[in-house]
Amino acid sequence: MPGLTWALQLATRALDAQQGAINVTANNIANMNTDGYSRQIPILTEGAPVQEGELSYGSGVVFSGIQSVRDELLEMRIQQETQNKGYTSARLKTLQQINTLFSDTTSGIGAKLSAFYATLQSLSSTPTASTARTSVLTAANNLASAFNTTAQKLDDIATNLNLQVTEDVNKVNELTEQIADLNAQVSQAKAQGTDSSTLEDQRTELTRQLSELIDVNVVQTEQGPTLTTANGTALVVGDKSFALSTRDESDGTHVYLRGDDITSQLQGGHLGGVLNVRDNFIPGITAGLNQLASDFAAAFNKAHASSGSHATYDLNGDPGGNFFSATSAGNFAVTISDPSKIAASSSAVANETGSNGNVASLISAGDNLDSGGTPYSAITFYSSNLVFTIGNETYQAQSQDSTEELSLRQLQNQRNSVSGVSINEETANLLRYQHAYQAAARIVTTVDELTKTVLTMGAQ
Amino acid sequence: MRVNPDYTQDILAAISKTQQDQQTALQQISTGRRVSSPSDDPASAAAYVLNRASVSRNDAYLQTVTTLNAQLNTADSTLGSVVTLLNRAISLGTGGGTDPLSSSNREAIANNVQGVLDGVLQLANTAYQGSFLFGGTNTSQAPFSATYTYNGSSDSNKVAVGDARTVETGVPGDKLFMNTNVFGSLKNLVDKLKTGTNAEIQAATADVNKALNAFSSERTAYGNTLDQLKSVESFLNSNKTTLASEENDLVGADITQAVSDLTQAILTNGAALSAFAKASRETLLDYLR
């Protein structure tokens, strides 16, 4: 039968175990607001029993380790959802910039176009008045600068997106390097048999941050998780990371991984969202705008310039020439600067300069754009459709983003319900461990008293 | 089941949502508009672009009507003065052709009629804001010479005052003064008063009267156009009202709704804030003393 010292040993081990549990609790409380932290629980196990004849005595408690409470499946879904959220929020942010560009109903292309028509209308009733002619030119120049500014702003947004691509790539490289480093540390810890849960927490958090930026697939292997992107090329294998690189090309900044251009394959995360708007949405808008600018210039020139059966004359009685020049929205310009060069007249008789015979065809020029590219014959329908396209895309991006945000938050709530630190729980645990510690300490005191009793036995 | 111990994210999201709602409602109230960017309501924003174009076109037509009204009224009142002058010539001619008058008296009457003729020529060369009113599409040159020949054109401008409505901006001078023989008959009356017999003077006066009738009937075109412009103007004004109410339907804010939304959002925001304040106050620690 074990003696008093046995009980003392048991009590000491119990003190150690409860002390360890209190440390775990303290660590939980300390990290309750740390991103990506999973609460830990102490693993207390019963000591191996001691057999003595028929009897078996418990050998107390063993502090056998610390365990992080984590649902791997949930972590993976959060990582995927984070990627989606990164994608939708990057798209939304960028589209909102474009949306704002088309919000202004007083200085946009549509408004300037209407103002231009109004001056033509007033030219129609006073075709020789220099004020009316000057206003037509002023309004035409305003229309030209509205085209130019819109093209320039779209261009600026695209340029800005290129900078974001470079910035994202730098962040991705930093993160993959850190993850590779952690992989090395985790496998080292595992080889040495030490606890690696803190490192794993950090790695999970960094992977989550990486997912926010780029499509990431996580494959668990013996050497730790392998991270691949887009076309399946690896970003991180074990303790090695592969850096992305960027190259500026004519249609924007491209992303390369191990020599391959993976730009068009990046479909997720912030980088994917930025690339989607830059490469799929903006080019469509720009192309439409360019088409519109050159079609309108061509149609208006056709009405303004004298040719064949369509004879037009300016205030000096000279045949009308081109009014606008444009091959794109960016270079849309008014070619005439002398108000008397506006060909309002359709009368060839030298002194009939007061004729307004051509003004009606100038006004209706924008109603019949003969273009294969634009689906709308009238310029006003086109600009209305442009506003719809941009508004609708932004609207959809908004609702997608809020959906993703909601599901991400729900997943994070689920994760927190598994891994989050609760003050109440930790406090209750602290009390439990404290009581157990106090009781174990009491055993030490009791054994001490008993030992004293034994030692003074017979001395009376 | 273990619950999520950290409810701050949920409450913060709720607070942020209610603040967003407040902002939206406030913006609607302060701007009076429900749609301030295309994404607020893509279909309405697109329709609003067309509405703006129609409003602008309608305003331009109204502007044209105002310009034409001024121009045509000037022309019509000028022609009214011509009628007065012609009537005066007729009464002078009638007087000169009936009573036995001395030749010096006839000479005086002839001079008076010559004055009428000069006056008519001057009126026929009236310019409005630098453009001659009765030269057809030749507006930069005086249409009638001192010898009563017509230098203007026989064409007149048409101006759109609606999407499918045009009006003529005037009657060319040759139609008004030459075809009606206004100058010719007056000139003839002057000559006959100087040298002709009573009968000849009476015939010449009758010609002036004929010219006046022909002239008056040409002049009615102005009255008709002015009448048309009046009805066009009232149509354009009512169209303006229609377009404005369409604009309001498309992008205008329902202020009553917005105010009620704002009140609702403030209430919800307050509720979320107070929930946060209450819920985050207590833990087990508060009961362990």
Side-chain angles (χ1 to χ4, degrees), chain A residues 39 99 103 114 121 351-352 354-356 384 395 409 413 416-417 420 424-425, chain B residues 2 4 10 13 37-39 46 56 64 137-138 153 155 157-158 160 284:
Chain A
R39 76 189 161 101
N99 189 48
S103 299
S114 292
Q121 175 69 25
N351 58 19
E352 291 188 5
S355 154
N356 72 354
S384 157
Y395 179 77
R409 209 170 55 237
N413 279 347
N416 272 343
S417 75
N424 291 339
E425 187 179 309
Chain B
R2 194 173 188 270
N4 174 15
D10 276 344
S37 81
S39 63
S56 168
T64 305
T137 55
N138 180 357
S153 89
D155 299 321
N157 279 333
K158 284 194 178 73
L284 184 54

PDB file of all heavy atoms in Angstrom, chain A residues 39 99 103 114 121 351-352 354-356 384 395 409 413 416-417 420 424-425, chain B residues 2 4 10 13 37-39 46 56 64 137-138 153 155 157-158 160 284:
ATOM      1  N   ARG A  39      -9.460  28.888 -29.484  1.00  0.00           N
ATOM      2  CA  ARG A  39      -9.302  28.664 -28.041  1.00  0.00           C
ATOM      3  C   ARG A  39      -8.635  27.325 -27.797  1.00  0.00           C
ATOM      4  O   ARG A  39      -8.794  26.383 -28.585  1.00  0.00           O
ATOM      5  CB  ARG A  39     -10.651  28.748 -27.333  1.00  0.00           C
ATOM      6  CG  ARG A  39     -11.523  27.559 -27.517  1.00  0.00           C
ATOM      7  CD  ARG A  39     -12.909  27.815 -26.966  1.00  0.00           C
ATOM      8  NE  ARG A  39     -13.824  26.853 -27.553  1.00  0.00           N
ATOM      9  CZ  ARG A  39     -14.240  25.761 -26.901  1.00  0.00           C
ATOM     10  NH1 ARG A  39     -13.825  25.511 -25.665  1.00  0.00           N
ATOM     11  NH2 ARG A  39     -15.073  24.914 -27.483  1.00  0.00           N
ATOM     12  N   ASN A  99     -19.395  53.943 -61.652  1.00  0.00           N
ATOM     13  CA  ASN A  99     -20.787  54.337 -61.430  1.00  0.00           C
ATOM     14  C   ASN A  99     -20.885  55.826 -61.112  1.00  0.00           C
ATOM     15  O   ASN A  99     -21.727  56.535 -61.648  1.00  0.00           O
ATOM     16  CB  ASN A  99     -21.333  53.496 -60.275  1.00  0.00           C
ATOM     17  CG  ASN A  99     -22.808  53.651 -60.081  1.00  0.00           C
ATOM     18  OD1 ASN A  99     -23.571  53.572 -61.039  1.00  0.00           O
ATOM     19  ND2 ASN A  99     -23.228  53.871 -58.850  1.00  0.00           N
ATOM     20  N   SER A 103     -22.827  59.255 -62.780  1.00  0.00           N
ATOM     21  CA  SER A 103     -23.949  59.709 -61.940  1.00  0.00           C
ATOM     22  C   SER A 103     -24.346  61.124 -62.283  1.00  0.00           C
ATOM     23  O   SER A 103     -25.475  61.535 -62.087  1.00  0.00           O
ATOM     24  CB  SER A 103     -23.546  59.721 -60.470  1.00  0.00           C
ATOM     25  OG  SER A 103     -23.200  58.459 -60.052  1.00  0.00           O
ATOM     26  N   SER A 114     -27.425  67.075 -75.149  1.00  0.00           N
ATOM     27  CA  SER A 114     -28.695  67.801 -75.149  1.00  0.00           C
ATOM     28  C   SER A 114     -28.458  69.292 -75.313  1.00  0.00           C
ATOM     29  O   SER A 114     -29.180  69.977 -76.049  1.00  0.00           O
ATOM     30  CB  SER A 114     -29.450  67.553 -73.845  1.00  0.00           C
ATOM     31  OG  SER A 114     -29.873  66.221 -73.792  1.00  0.00           O
ATOM     32  N   GLN A 121     -30.942  73.993 -82.259  1.00  0.00           N
ATOM     33  CA  GLN A 121     -32.338  74.386 -82.396  1.00  0.00           C
ATOM     34  C   GLN A 121     -32.452  75.904 -82.454  1.00  0.00           C
ATOM     35  O   GLN A 121     -33.202  76.462 -83.246  1.00  0.00           O
ATOM     36  CB  GLN A 121     -33.121  73.808 -81.209  1.00  0.00           C
ATOM     37  CG  GLN A 121     -34.573  74.212 -81.127  1.00  0.00           C
ATOM     38  CD  GLN A 121     -35.392  73.593 -82.239  1.00  0.00           C
ATOM     39  OE1 GLN A 121     -35.025  72.550 -82.777  1.00  0.00           O
ATOM     40  NE2 GLN A 121     -36.485  74.241 -82.595  1.00  0.00           N
ATOM     41  N   ASN A 351     -26.403  84.753-102.123  1.00  0.00           N
ATOM     42  CA  ASN A 351     -26.818  85.655-101.055  1.00  0.00           C
ATOM     43  C   ASN A 351     -27.856  85.054-100.096  1.00  0.00           C
ATOM     44  O   ASN A 351     -28.291  85.715 -99.181  1.00  0.00           O
ATOM     45  CB  ASN A 351     -27.313  86.978-101.646  1.00  0.00           C
ATOM     46  CG  ASN A 351     -28.473  86.743-102.603  1.00  0.00           C
ATOM     47  OD1 ASN A 351     -29.111  85.682-102.553  1.00  0.00           O
ATOM     48  ND2 ASN A 351     -28.734  87.720-103.459  1.00  0.00           N
ATOM     49  N   GLU A 352     -28.197  83.799-100.318  1.00  0.00           N
ATOM     50  CA  GLU A 352     -29.201  83.203 -99.419  1.00  0.00           C
ATOM     51  C   GLU A 352     -28.560  82.555 -98.201  1.00  0.00           C
ATOM     52  O   GLU A 352     -28.826  81.397 -97.862  1.00  0.00           O
ATOM     53  CB  GLU A 352     -30.068  82.194-100.174  1.00  0.00           C
ATOM     54  CG  GLU A 352     -30.961  82.887-101.189  1.00  0.00           C
ATOM     55  CD  GLU A 352     -31.960  81.957-101.816  1.00  0.00           C
ATOM     56  OE1 GLU A 352     -32.024  80.788-101.400  1.00  0.00           O
ATOM     57  OE2 GLU A 352     -32.683  82.413-102.721  1.00  0.00           O
ATOM     58  N   GLY A 354     -29.036  83.258 -95.225  1.00  0.00           N
ATOM     59  CA  GLY A 354     -29.948  83.190 -94.089  1.00  0.00           C
ATOM     60  C   GLY A 354     -30.750  81.898 -94.054  1.00  0.00           C
ATOM     61  O   GLY A 354     -31.590  81.705 -93.190  1.00  0.00           O
ATOM     62  N   SER A 355     -30.461  80.986 -94.996  1.00  0.00           N
ATOM     63  CA  SER A 355     -31.211  79.728 -95.026  1.00  0.00           C
ATOM     64  C   SER A 355     -30.818  78.832 -93.853  1.00  0.00           C
ATOM     65  O   SER A 355     -29.660  78.781 -93.458  1.00  0.00           O
ATOM     66  CB  SER A 355     -30.922  79.001 -96.347  1.00  0.00           C
ATOM     67  OG  SER A 355     -31.106  77.618 -96.191  1.00  0.00           O
ATOM     68  N   ASN A 356     -31.801  78.138 -93.288  1.00  0.00           N
ATOM     69  CA  ASN A 356     -31.508  77.199 -92.199  1.00  0.00           C
ATOM     70  C   ASN A 356     -31.753  75.776 -92.678  1.00  0.00           C
ATOM     71  O   ASN A 356     -31.930  74.857 -91.902  1.00  0.00           O
ATOM     72  CB  ASN A 356     -32.351  77.507 -90.968  1.00  0.00           C
ATOM     73  CG  ASN A 356     -33.811  77.140 -91.151  1.00  0.00           C
ATOM     74  OD1 ASN A 356     -34.223  76.745 -92.246  1.00  0.00           O
ATOM     75  ND2 ASN A 356     -34.593  77.257 -90.097  1.00  0.00           N
ATOM     76  N   SER A 384     -28.334  56.232 -72.735  1.00  0.00           N
ATOM     77  CA  SER A 384     -29.226  55.677 -71.722  1.00  0.00           C
ATOM     78  C   SER A 384     -28.854  54.232 -71.408  1.00  0.00           C
ATOM     79  O   SER A 384     -28.797  53.815 -70.251  1.00  0.00           O
ATOM     80  CB  SER A 384     -30.659  55.768 -72.226  1.00  0.00           C
ATOM     81  OG  SER A 384     -31.472  54.837 -71.595  1.00  0.00           O
ATOM     82  N   TYR A 395     -25.075  47.541 -59.357  1.00  0.00           N
ATOM     83  CA  TYR A 395     -26.153  47.090 -58.482  1.00  0.00           C
ATOM     84  C   TYR A 395     -25.987  45.605 -58.142  1.00  0.00           C
ATOM     85  O   TYR A 395     -26.090  45.185 -56.991  1.00  0.00           O
ATOM     86  CB  TYR A 395     -27.489  47.335 -59.181  1.00  0.00           C
ATOM     87  CG  TYR A 395     -28.689  46.899 -58.395  1.00  0.00           C
ATOM     88  CD1 TYR A 395     -29.153  47.669 -57.337  1.00  0.00           C
ATOM     89  CD2 TYR A 395     -29.345  45.717 -58.706  1.00  0.00           C
ATOM     90  CE1 TYR A 395     -30.246  47.276 -56.607  1.00  0.00           C
ATOM     91  CE2 TYR A 395     -30.449  45.315 -57.971  1.00  0.00           C
ATOM     92  CZ  TYR A 395     -30.894  46.096 -56.929  1.00  0.00           C
ATOM     93  OH  TYR A 395     -31.968  45.698 -56.208  1.00  0.00           O
ATOM     94  N   ARG A 409     -19.953  36.210 -42.665  1.00  0.00           N
ATOM     95  CA  ARG A 409     -20.172  36.488 -41.251  1.00  0.00           C
ATOM     96  C   ARG A 409     -20.811  35.297 -40.544  1.00  0.00           C
ATOM     97  O   ARG A 409     -20.461  34.968 -39.406  1.00  0.00           O
ATOM     98  CB  ARG A 409     -21.023  37.742 -41.087  1.00  0.00           C
ATOM     99  CG  ARG A 409     -20.699  38.445 -39.788  1.00  0.00           C
ATOM    100  CD  ARG A 409     -21.298  39.797 -39.628  1.00  0.00           C
ATOM    101  NE  ARG A 409     -22.722  39.790 -39.786  1.00  0.00           N
ATOM    102  CZ  ARG A 409     -23.351  40.528 -40.684  1.00  0.00           C
ATOM    103  NH1 ARG A 409     -22.666  41.307 -41.477  1.00  0.00           N
ATOM    104  NH2 ARG A 409     -24.651  40.493 -40.791  1.00  0.00           N
ATOM    105  N   ASN A 413     -19.288  33.328 -37.517  1.00  0.00           N
ATOM    106  CA  ASN A 413     -20.045  33.076 -36.291  1.00  0.00           C
ATOM    107  C   ASN A 413     -19.957  31.611 -35.900  1.00  0.00           C
ATOM    108  O   ASN A 413     -19.782  31.269 -34.738  1.00  0.00           O
ATOM    109  CB  ASN A 413     -21.506  33.467 -36.476  1.00  0.00           C
ATOM    110  CG  ASN A 413     -21.700  34.958 -36.301  1.00  0.00           C
ATOM    111  OD1 ASN A 413     -20.805  35.644 -35.809  1.00  0.00           O
ATOM    112  ND2 ASN A 413     -22.846  35.460 -36.725  1.00  0.00           N
ATOM    113  N   ASN A 416     -16.598  30.953 -34.606  1.00  0.00           N
ATOM    114  CA  ASN A 416     -16.471  31.479 -33.256  1.00  0.00           C
ATOM    115  C   ASN A 416     -17.192  30.615 -32.242  1.00  0.00           C
ATOM    116  O   ASN A 416     -16.757  30.491 -31.111  1.00  0.00           O
ATOM    117  CB  ASN A 416     -17.020  32.903 -33.183  1.00  0.00           C
ATOM    118  CG  ASN A 416     -15.956  33.911 -33.526  1.00  0.00           C
ATOM    119  OD1 ASN A 416     -14.769  33.575 -33.505  1.00  0.00           O
ATOM    120  ND2 ASN A 416     -16.360  35.118 -33.857  1.00  0.00           N
ATOM    121  N   SER A 417     -18.313  30.046 -32.658  1.00  0.00           N
ATOM    122  CA  SER A 417     -19.043  29.213 -31.701  1.00  0.00           C
ATOM    123  C   SER A 417     -18.242  27.956 -31.396  1.00  0.00           C
ATOM    124  O   SER A 417     -18.427  27.327 -30.367  1.00  0.00           O
ATOM    125  CB  SER A 417     -20.437  28.883 -32.227  1.00  0.00           C
ATOM    126  OG  SER A 417     -20.340  27.914 -33.232  1.00  0.00           O
ATOM    127  N   GLY A 420     -14.105  30.370 -30.675  1.00  0.00           N
ATOM    128  CA  GLY A 420     -13.992  31.661 -30.015  1.00  0.00           C
ATOM    129  C   GLY A 420     -13.832  31.536 -28.507  1.00  0.00           C
ATOM    130  O   GLY A 420     -14.296  30.576 -27.893  1.00  0.00           O
ATOM    131  N   ASN A 424     -17.024  34.061 -19.993  1.00  0.00           N
ATOM    132  CA  ASN A 424     -17.749  33.316 -18.961  1.00  0.00           C
ATOM    133  C   ASN A 424     -17.174  31.921 -18.792  1.00  0.00           C
ATOM    134  O   ASN A 424     -16.953  31.440 -17.681  1.00  0.00           O
ATOM    135  CB  ASN A 424     -19.226  33.214 -19.324  1.00  0.00           C
ATOM    136  CG  ASN A 424     -19.892  34.565 -19.233  1.00  0.00           C
ATOM    137  OD1 ASN A 424     -19.386  35.455 -18.546  1.00  0.00           O
ATOM    138  ND2 ASN A 424     -20.994  34.723 -19.942  1.00  0.00           N
ATOM    139  N   GLU A 425     -16.920  31.292 -19.945  1.00  0.00           N
ATOM    140  CA  GLU A 425     -16.399  29.930 -19.904  1.00  0.00           C
ATOM    141  C   GLU A 425     -15.026  29.917 -19.242  1.00  0.00           C
ATOM    142  O   GLU A 425     -14.740  29.076 -18.370  1.00  0.00           O
ATOM    143  CB  GLU A 425     -16.305  29.428 -21.342  1.00  0.00           C
ATOM    144  CG  GLU A 425     -15.936  27.973 -21.464  1.00  0.00           C
ATOM    145  CD  GLU A 425     -15.889  27.570 -22.941  1.00  0.00           C
ATOM    146  OE1 GLU A 425     -16.866  27.843 -23.663  1.00  0.00           O
ATOM    147  OE2 GLU A 425     -14.873  27.020 -23.359  1.00  0.00           O
TER     148      GLU A 425
ATOM    149  N   ARG B   2     -22.714  25.118 -28.005  1.00  0.00           N
ATOM    150  CA  ARG B   2     -21.916  26.293 -27.635  1.00  0.00           C
ATOM    151  C   ARG B   2     -22.296  27.441 -28.580  1.00  0.00           C
ATOM    152  O   ARG B   2     -22.412  27.254 -29.784  1.00  0.00           O
ATOM    153  CB  ARG B   2     -20.440  25.934 -27.811  1.00  0.00           C
ATOM    154  CG  ARG B   2     -19.483  26.922 -27.160  1.00  0.00           C
ATOM    155  CD  ARG B   2     -18.045  26.410 -27.241  1.00  0.00           C
ATOM    156  NE  ARG B   2     -17.153  27.245 -26.474  1.00  0.00           N
ATOM    157  CZ  ARG B   2     -16.519  28.293 -26.959  1.00  0.00           C
ATOM    158  NH1 ARG B   2     -16.699  28.636 -28.226  1.00  0.00           N
ATOM    159  NH2 ARG B   2     -15.708  29.015 -26.195  1.00  0.00           N
ATOM    160  N   ASN B   4     -21.781  31.386 -30.185  1.00  0.00           N
ATOM    161  CA  ASN B   4     -20.685  32.296 -30.504  1.00  0.00           C
ATOM    162  C   ASN B   4     -20.546  33.319 -29.394  1.00  0.00           C
ATOM    163  O   ASN B   4     -21.456  34.109 -29.145  1.00  0.00           O
ATOM    164  CB  ASN B   4     -21.008  32.989 -31.822  1.00  0.00           C
ATOM    165  CG  ASN B   4     -19.996  34.045 -32.157  1.00  0.00           C
ATOM    166  OD1 ASN B   4     -18.907  34.082 -31.574  1.00  0.00           O
ATOM    167  ND2 ASN B   4     -20.341  34.901 -33.091  1.00  0.00           N
ATOM    168  N   ASP B  10     -21.793  40.868 -35.215  1.00  0.00           N
ATOM    169  CA  ASP B  10     -23.192  40.908 -35.646  1.00  0.00           C
ATOM    170  C   ASP B  10     -23.824  42.247 -35.312  1.00  0.00           C
ATOM    171  O   ASP B  10     -24.519  42.846 -36.129  1.00  0.00           O
ATOM    172  CB  ASP B  10     -23.989  39.780 -34.974  1.00  0.00           C
ATOM    173  CG  ASP B  10     -23.829  38.489 -35.752  1.00  0.00           C
ATOM    174  OD1 ASP B  10     -23.385  38.564 -36.925  1.00  0.00           O
ATOM    175  OD2 ASP B  10     -24.131  37.421 -35.200  1.00  0.00           O
ATOM    176  N   ALA B  13     -22.466  44.982 -37.454  1.00  0.00           N
ATOM    177  CA  ALA B  13     -23.038  44.922 -38.802  1.00  0.00           C
ATOM    178  C   ALA B  13     -24.435  45.543 -38.796  1.00  0.00           C
ATOM    179  O   ALA B  13     -24.805  46.292 -39.700  1.00  0.00           O
ATOM    180  CB  ALA B  13     -23.087  43.492 -39.294  1.00  0.00           C
ATOM    181  N   SER B  37     -27.372  57.859 -58.185  1.00  0.00           N
ATOM    182  CA  SER B  37     -26.349  57.286 -59.056  1.00  0.00           C
ATOM    183  C   SER B  37     -26.986  56.112 -59.787  1.00  0.00           C
ATOM    184  O   SER B  37     -27.978  55.551 -59.313  1.00  0.00           O
ATOM    185  CB  SER B  37     -25.131  56.848 -58.249  1.00  0.00           C
ATOM    186  OG  SER B  37     -25.365  55.602 -57.656  1.00  0.00           O
ATOM    187  N   PRO B  38     -26.464  55.737 -60.957  1.00  0.00           N
ATOM    188  CA  PRO B  38     -27.118  54.708 -61.779  1.00  0.00           C
ATOM    189  C   PRO B  38     -27.420  53.415 -61.007  1.00  0.00           C
ATOM    190  O   PRO B  38     -28.435  52.771 -61.240  1.00  0.00           O
ATOM    191  CB  PRO B  38     -26.113  54.440 -62.892  1.00  0.00           C
ATOM    192  CG  PRO B  38     -25.350  55.696 -63.019  1.00  0.00           C
ATOM    193  CD  PRO B  38     -25.278  56.278 -61.644  1.00  0.00           C
ATOM    194  N   SER B  39     -26.548  53.053 -60.052  1.00  0.00           N
ATOM    195  CA  SER B  39     -26.745  51.773 -59.371  1.00  0.00           C
ATOM    196  C   SER B  39     -27.918  51.807 -58.391  1.00  0.00           C
ATOM    197  O   SER B  39     -28.380  50.770 -57.940  1.00  0.00           O
ATOM    198  CB  SER B  39     -25.466  51.357 -58.643  1.00  0.00           C
ATOM    199  OG  SER B  39     -25.156  52.288 -57.659  1.00  0.00           O
ATOM    200  N   ALA B  46     -31.572  54.906 -66.354  1.00  0.00           N
ATOM    201  CA  ALA B  46     -31.474  54.878 -67.816  1.00  0.00           C
ATOM    202  C   ALA B  46     -32.641  55.637 -68.445  1.00  0.00           C
ATOM    203  O   ALA B  46     -32.461  56.435 -69.363  1.00  0.00           O
ATOM    204  CB  ALA B  46     -31.450  53.439 -68.302  1.00  0.00           C
ATOM    205  N   SER B  56     -34.729  68.589 -72.394  1.00  0.00           N
ATOM    206  CA  SER B  56     -33.853  69.556 -73.043  1.00  0.00           C
ATOM    207  C   SER B  56     -34.399  69.941 -74.418  1.00  0.00           C
ATOM    208  O   SER B  56     -34.398  71.109 -74.805  1.00  0.00           O
ATOM    209  CB  SER B  56     -32.457  68.959 -73.148  1.00  0.00           C
ATOM    210  OG  SER B  56     -31.667  69.720 -73.999  1.00  0.00           O
ATOM    211  N   THR B  64     -37.361  78.360 -78.929  1.00  0.00           N
ATOM    212  CA  THR B  64     -37.589  78.707 -80.332  1.00  0.00           C
ATOM    213  C   THR B  64     -38.910  79.438 -80.494  1.00  0.00           C
ATOM    214  O   THR B  64     -38.993  80.437 -81.212  1.00  0.00           O
ATOM    215  CB  THR B  64     -37.622  77.425 -81.184  1.00  0.00           C
ATOM    216  OG1 THR B  64     -36.424  76.713 -80.941  1.00  0.00           O
ATOM    217  CG2 THR B  64     -37.739  77.741 -82.656  1.00  0.00           C
ATOM    218  N   THR B 137     -34.781  83.980 -97.436  1.00  0.00           N
ATOM    219  CA  THR B 137     -33.595  83.449 -96.775  1.00  0.00           C
ATOM    220  C   THR B 137     -32.380  84.351 -96.991  1.00  0.00           C
ATOM    221  O   THR B 137     -31.305  84.055 -96.524  1.00  0.00           O
ATOM    222  CB  THR B 137     -33.267  82.038 -97.290  1.00  0.00           C
ATOM    223  OG1 THR B 137     -33.158  82.110 -98.712  1.00  0.00           O
ATOM    224  CG2 THR B 137     -34.335  81.046 -96.901  1.00  0.00           C
ATOM    225  N   ASN B 138     -32.559  85.450 -97.746  1.00  0.00           N
ATOM    226  CA  ASN B 138     -31.480  86.430 -97.854  1.00  0.00           C
ATOM    227  C   ASN B 138     -31.723  87.490 -96.799  1.00  0.00           C
ATOM    228  O   ASN B 138     -32.457  88.448 -96.997  1.00  0.00           O
ATOM    229  CB  ASN B 138     -31.481  87.042 -99.251  1.00  0.00           C
ATOM    230  CG  ASN B 138     -30.376  88.063 -99.417  1.00  0.00           C
ATOM    231  OD1 ASN B 138     -29.648  88.353 -98.475  1.00  0.00           O
ATOM    232  ND2 ASN B 138     -30.260  88.608-100.612  1.00  0.00           N
ATOM    233  N   SER B 153     -34.695  86.582-101.535  1.00  0.00           N
ATOM    234  CA  SER B 153     -34.934  85.261-102.115  1.00  0.00           C
ATOM    235  C   SER B 153     -36.407  84.904-101.969  1.00  0.00           C
ATOM    236  O   SER B 153     -37.131  85.508-101.171  1.00  0.00           O
ATOM    237  CB  SER B 153     -34.079  84.210-101.421  1.00  0.00           C
ATOM    238  OG  SER B 153     -34.768  83.682-100.320  1.00  0.00           O
ATOM    239  N   ASP B 155     -37.380  81.999-101.046  1.00  0.00           N
ATOM    240  CA  ASP B 155     -37.507  80.871-100.104  1.00  0.00           C
ATOM    241  C   ASP B 155     -37.684  81.402 -98.694  1.00  0.00           C
ATOM    242  O   ASP B 155     -37.236  82.491 -98.369  1.00  0.00           O
ATOM    243  CB  ASP B 155     -36.233  80.022-100.132  1.00  0.00           C
ATOM    244  CG  ASP B 155     -35.980  79.442-101.505  1.00  0.00           C
ATOM    245  OD1 ASP B 155     -36.970  79.034-102.142  1.00  0.00           O
ATOM    246  OD2 ASP B 155     -34.810  79.427-101.923  1.00  0.00           O
ATOM    247  N   ASN B 157     -37.481  80.095 -94.428  1.00  0.00           N
ATOM    248  CA  ASN B 157     -37.001  79.038 -93.536  1.00  0.00           C
ATOM    249  C   ASN B 157     -38.150  78.358 -92.821  1.00  0.00           C
ATOM    250  O   ASN B 157     -39.146  78.979 -92.481  1.00  0.00           O
ATOM    251  CB  ASN B 157     -36.072  79.637 -92.488  1.00  0.00           C
ATOM    252  CG  ASN B 157     -34.667  79.833 -93.030  1.00  0.00           C
ATOM    253  OD1 ASN B 157     -34.256  79.108 -93.943  1.00  0.00           O
ATOM    254  ND2 ASN B 157     -33.948  80.785 -92.483  1.00  0.00           N
ATOM    255  N   LYS B 158     -37.921  77.040 -92.585  1.00  0.00           N
ATOM    256  CA  LYS B 158     -38.860  76.309 -91.734  1.00  0.00           C
ATOM    257  C   LYS B 158     -38.115  75.999 -90.440  1.00  0.00           C
ATOM    258  O   LYS B 158     -36.936  75.663 -90.468  1.00  0.00           O
ATOM    259  CB  LYS B 158     -39.256  74.988 -92.400  1.00  0.00           C
ATOM    260  CG  LYS B 158     -40.242  75.134 -93.533  1.00  0.00           C
ATOM    261  CD  LYS B 158     -40.793  73.741 -93.854  1.00  0.00           C
ATOM    262  CE  LYS B 158     -41.838  73.782 -94.954  1.00  0.00           C
ATOM    263  NZ  LYS B 158     -41.246  74.037 -96.279  1.00  0.00           N
ATOM    264  N   ALA B 160     -38.335  73.825 -86.731  1.00  0.00           N
ATOM    265  CA  ALA B 160     -39.054  72.813 -85.962  1.00  0.00           C
ATOM    266  C   ALA B 160     -39.460  73.394 -84.621  1.00  0.00           C
ATOM    267  O   ALA B 160     -38.654  74.011 -83.934  1.00  0.00           O
ATOM    268  CB  ALA B 160     -38.168  71.594 -85.757  1.00  0.00           C
ATOM    269  N   LEU B 284     -19.614  36.825 -16.146  1.00  0.00           N
ATOM    270  CA  LEU B 284     -19.585  36.074 -14.895  1.00  0.00           C
ATOM    271  C   LEU B 284     -18.749  36.821 -13.852  1.00  0.00           C
ATOM    272  O   LEU B 284     -19.029  36.780 -12.655  1.00  0.00           O
ATOM    273  CB  LEU B 284     -18.987  34.685 -15.184  1.00  0.00           C
ATOM    274  CG  LEU B 284     -18.936  33.682 -14.047  1.00  0.00           C
ATOM    275  CD1 LEU B 284     -20.305  33.494 -13.418  1.00  0.00           C
ATOM    276  CD2 LEU B 284     -18.388  32.361 -14.542  1.00  0.00           C
TER     277      LEU B 284
END
